Amino acid sequence: MIRSVVTGVGGYLPEEVLTNADLARFVDTSDEWIQERTGIRQRHRAAPDQAVSDLAVEAARKALEAAGRSPADVDLIIVATTTPDLTFPAVATIVQRKLGCPVGIAFDIQAVCSGFVYALSTADGFVARGRSSCALVIGAETMTRLMDWSDRGTCVLFGDGAGAVVVEPGEGRGDASDRGLLGFALRADGTKQDLLYVDGGVSTNGQIGHLRMQGNQVFKQAVINISEAVTAAAADAGIAVSDVDWFIPHQANQRILNGVAHRLGIDEAKVISTVAEHANTSAASIPLALAQGIADGRIRPGQLVLLEAMGGGLTWGACTLRL
Ligand code: UT7
């Protein structure tokens, strides 16, 4: 059978770093509170002239280089983002133009922090059915542009960045020894919309709006929902959670990462954490953490990796893959 194989991974973080101390200069918070409650030490912020497509292009170039591919090979681009350059066209088409990819398929996915997992599943639908031979799946965000900088309950939590993977078809036997995307669990519950949303939109008040969150309510949902999705995505791949070499969670809060690991009996040494340096980069956080784990030599070809996320919607999900 044809499997959708991740053949290259790349990440990009904008140059400017904002530390907790930098934020404490203009909002009533402290480095101590932020580190203790979230694990975050710093976040990156895009330059005023950087759009989210610029971040996406940087990550995509690195992923293509890692895969030994060029923009000319790409026939599908999916960008998971909640902070597009423009209301339309899709960021994916802007990335296509900036990279110089040929005419192909390009569109965005909006599932907020779960966007990258949703995008991978969508790409699998094209690649494994023979409708794409080289797909770019990108998570890219400029979350700092959605912050209310007077709201200490949210503005300390988010950062900007992008991560990308190249997905190509590969032969598999149809079992969990195959390389590629092996299992998914995708979920949404629109009744919890009020817990995490942006209070602006094209068809409502015509504003960009600011991110609003009932943090402690989201926190409670996160550990339960993510744990269920992780177990389901492992079962979908025909493996046990204990078989997984590396867990790559959405990087929202170190306490959520620890809570999920504890609930599922996962050794914390198997959990890739970038939340201290990147904060919450929404749809970019999983591919950025994957890129970091590969770059520092921890994650190696052939290993089993499990990705998971939860965000606005609420949406959540998980993906099992073998690199
Ligand atoms: O990516 C999408 C998914 N998002 C998440 O998963 C985020 C989930 N939520 C969280 O990570 C945590 O709930 C937060 C980090 C947002 C908040 O932590 P918490 O332990 O749930 O705190 P809390 O909201 O219950 O607030 C506790 C106290 C409050 O003060 P009082 O009312 O007890 O006097 C807040 O006003 O902490 C206060 N507080 C702060 N203090 C200093 C809230 N934010 C800050 C701050 N600095 N930045």
Side-chain angles (χ1 to χ4, degrees):
M1 67 181 292
I2 302 176
R3 290 288 196 182
S4 308
V5 182
V6 172
T7 56
V9 182
Y12 171 77
L13 290 159
E15 220 167 279
E16 188 192 3
V17 170
L18 281 176
T19 64
N20 294 344
D22 291 334
L23 300 188
R25 283 190 200 104
F26 59 85
V27 65
D28 182 16
T29 190
S30 65
D31 178 44
E32 192 188 11
W33 190 96
I34 301 171
Q35 286 212 46
E36 190 184 306
R37 298 295 184 108
T38 71
I40 297 166
R41 288 202 302 265
Q42 61 172 50
R43 70 285 295 139
H44 290 250
R45 179 162 66 177
D49 63 351
Q50 272 183 316
V52 84
S53 63
D54 296 315
L55 278 52
V57 161
E58 295 292 337
R61 283 209 174 100
K62 291 186 190 166
L64 284 168
E65 193 186 330
R69 295 285 172 195
S70 81
D73 299 319
V74 175
D75 56 14
L76 168 65
I77 304 173
I78 306 178
V79 176
T81 188
T82 199
T83 50
D85 294 27
L86 302 167
T87 301
F88 78 79
V91 176
T93 60
I94 301 172
V95 169
Q96 182 195 35
R97 171 176 60 78
K98 287 183 176 175
L99 281 176
C101 301
V103 170
I105 307 166
F107 59 95
D108 291 354
I109 280 192
Q110 163 58 299
V112 205
C113 299
S114 315
F116 186 75
V117 177
Y118 270 66
L120 267 187
S121 174
T122 307
D124 187 33
F126 285 90
V127 175
R129 297 183 73 188
R131 290 176 179 158
S132 166
S133 61
C134 184
L136 260 177
V137 183
I138 305 170
E141 300 282 17
T142 48
M143 294 304 285
T144 62
R145 309 257 161 94
L146 288 179
M147 293 302 111
D148 171 352
W149 292 103
S150 66
D151 176 10
R152 67 179 182 172
T154 53
C155 76
V156 304
L157 303 174
F158 292 88
D160 302 336
V165 299
V166 175
V167 182
E168 299 179 68
E171 274 298 317
R173 295 191 306 197
D175 60 34
S177 68
D178 291 348
R179 283 187 75 203
L181 305 176
L182 302 176
F184 284 95
L186 301 182
R187 313 270 187 261
D189 178 0
T191 65
K192 307 263 177 356
Q193 175 189 329
D194 291 350
L195 301 185
L196 177 53
Y197 64 100
V198 168
D199 61 2
V202 178
S203 67
T204 50
N205 59 7
Q207 309 285 312
I208 292 170
H210 292 117
L211 185 145
R212 305 295 176 199
M213 176 165 69
Q214 295 177 43
N216 45 14
Q217 297 300 317
V218 175
F219 191 105
K220 281 180 199 152
Q221 297 287 325
V223 176
I224 301 164
N225 290 344
I226 290 168
S227 299
E228 184 278 327
V230 164
T231 308
D236 193 41
I239 59 149
V241 170
S242 55
D243 295 332
V244 174
D245 295 301
W246 295 104
F247 291 85
I248 307 191
H250 168 50
Q251 308 284 323
N253 185 323
Q254 187 62 45
R255 290 191 294 140
I256 299 178
L257 272 60
N258 296 348
V260 171
H262 180 73
R263 198 179 170 95
L264 294 174
I266 297 166
D267 180 354
E268 281 179 22
K270 287 181 168 185
V271 180
I272 304 283
S273 176
T274 56
V275 70
E277 293 82 29
H278 303 177
N280 182 345
T281 57
S282 187
S285 90
I286 289 176
L288 268 170
L290 182 61
Q292 177 147 327
I294 291 171
D296 66 24
R298 279 180 292 173
I299 306 176
R300 296 187 306 277
Q303 289 188 318
L304 259 183
V305 176
L306 208 148
L307 321 173
E308 52 90 340
M310 195 194 85
L314 295 176
T315 59
W316 65 100
C319 166
T320 311
L321 69 111
R322 190 180 291 285
L323 278 175

